[in-house]
Amino acid sequence: MMDPQIHTGDLLLCSGSGWFSKMIQAATASRWSHVALVLRLDAFDRIMLLESVEPIGVRTVPLKQYLENYDQKGNRYPGEMQIMRHRDFEARVHQDRLAALGRFAVDRFGYPYDGQQIAEIAARITLNRMAPDIMDQFPPPLQTNAPQAYICSEYVAACYAQIGLKIPAGTFGFTAPADFAQHEAIDLIKTL
């Protein structure tokens, strides 16, 4: 039975324990290191997550996998998980806009995880720690209009942009999971 509290457009935020997760958490002063977009498929009795994960890239998996078999050994995701909701999502979603978001999200399945952006982010975080007073001399990484690879938070932000919801980039020039969690219009729905 699907959880009636979880809606299409909700966000799953996760606190990971890998090296890059820890770096993102430290740099953004947040426990969140991953974000995925929820797609509710009532006809199939499934709640799916649209996400970009390293090293796979953009994919979809059932939420149930995070809760019951994340590692293919019968264990749940090894960290905290929360469902959050943007207050304006449902107001902005009409059938045509939801279809545009869906096409955009699905058309990117199989796009690789953005390793180059990860390297740029890691370099900016390291530079900020070593010499924070010179960070203004190094502009954020350039964002192209049509990326061919995504990190999780940039993928979800791009999906939201299809219906006119903007999640601004944070301090290091990229949208991080923390930017979703700290957004004034995004509220906690439940802890998983």
Side-chain angles (χ1 to χ4, degrees):
M1 177 93 174
M2 293 195 319
D3 188 328
Q5 288 183 284
I6 301 175
H7 300 174
T8 290
D10 287 351
L11 304 164
L12 173 72
L13 277 100
C14 301
S15 61
S17 57
W19 71 270
F20 190 70
S21 293
K22 294 296 182 193
M23 186 172 54
I24 291 292
Q25 291 163 341
T28 60
S30 170
R31 66 183 182 264
W32 305 116
S33 59
H34 180 66
V35 62
L37 182 65
V38 171
L39 174 64
R40 190 179 172 94
L41 299 173
D42 291 314
F44 299 109
D45 194 30
R46 292 289 180 270
I47 295 175
M48 303 300 293
L49 301 174
L50 309 176
E51 63 182 357
S52 184
V53 294
E54 202 264 331
I56 298 166
V58 179
R59 69 174 186 172
T60 185
V61 297
L63 172 61
K64 184 176 180 177
Q65 182 173 332
Y66 271 74
L67 300 174
E68 298 175 5
N69 194 22
Y70 184 77
D71 62 0
Q72 306 303 312
K73 296 177 184 174
N75 298 309
R76 67 183 273 125
Y77 178 83
E80 186 179 357
M81 296 181 287
Q82 291 185 343
I83 298 291
M84 296 186 166
R85 180 173 301 142
H86 195 296
R87 282 182 230 134
D88 297 333
F89 185 87
E90 291 182 5
R92 292 210 176 239
V93 175
H94 305 288
Q95 276 310 109
D96 59 332
R97 284 188 146 185
L98 185 57
L101 183 154
R103 282 190 300 274
F104 178 89
V106 169
D107 286 350
R108 276 138 188 88
F109 286 176
Y111 276 34
Y113 193 76
D114 195 344
Q116 179 178 344
Q117 188 175 16
I118 293 302
E120 291 171 358
I121 291 166
R124 290 182 62 77
I125 290 170
T126 301
L127 183 60
N128 186 59
R129 285 189 179 161
M130 294 172 56
D133 52 323
I134 66 167
M135 280 300 291
D136 291 340
Q137 297 174 29
F138 296 91
L142 293 175
Q143 299 295 318
T144 63
N145 288 334
Q148 297 298 307
Y150 289 94
I151 61 171
C152 66
S153 44
E154 292 284 340
Y155 173 66
V156 175
C159 288
Y160 262 24
Q162 302 307 302
I163 59 168
L165 294 177
K166 304 290 184 197
I167 306 297
T171 305
F172 296 105
F174 72 99
T175 304
D179 297 320
F180 288 89
Q182 296 166 0
H183 194 282
E184 62 188 15
I186 295 178
D187 301 314
L188 173 65
I189 299 301
K190 70 183 299 177
T191 298
L192 301 175

